[in-house]
Amino acid sequence: MSDLGPVAWPPVPIRTARLVLREPGAADRAAFVELLASPEVHTYLGGPRPRAELERELPGTPERWPGSFVVDLDGEMIGQVLLRRTREHCCPVAVGKVDLGYLFLPRAWGLGYAAEACAAALDWLDGVLPGEPVVLNTQTANTGSMRLAAKLGFTEVERFRAWDAEQWLGLRPPLTPSV
């Protein structure tokens, strides 16, 4: 995965009805440790990283690069939305496209925050890189992520096996500008 190319970063914080998508800051480090060490969050992502390892290795301001948004609710990080360009993938159709990823703390699950944050990030992407197709992959067993992908307009392109599980690759075609 790589950067998004010629986009101004960081953008002005993106505000939704309930959330703010913003650049990560030093105050988010503890939430990143919690997110990356959570067994629940990483059920479909190959398992959590050890907390001690994260405490040792995470920089003071983790995940600070173009396309990495902290999802903030009332001044507190509840998740992360990622937009990264795919450089390598077992499915050739994904290579070179922007990949949407997201992680949310379990206390934020089931409240619509992921849909709200991902839709806002995709809207931002449409503004800075118009005509960009976006891919998303998830395990087929992750029913919540499968529902979110459909809600965001992703349609199945391919299923494949990786990390000892069936994976789903979806594509959100580029938006056509209205005339």
Side-chain angles (χ1 to χ4, degrees), residues 138-151:
T138 187
Q139 281 190 21
T140 56
N142 187 344
T143 56
S145 192
M146 294 287 292
R147 280 192 308 272
L148 177 57
K151 185 175 193 172

Side-chain angles (χ1 to χ4, degrees), residues 96-107:
K97 294 187 178 58
V98 174
D99 177 76
L100 172 67
Y102 40 86
L103 299 169
F104 283 82
L105 293 167
R107 67 179 175 270

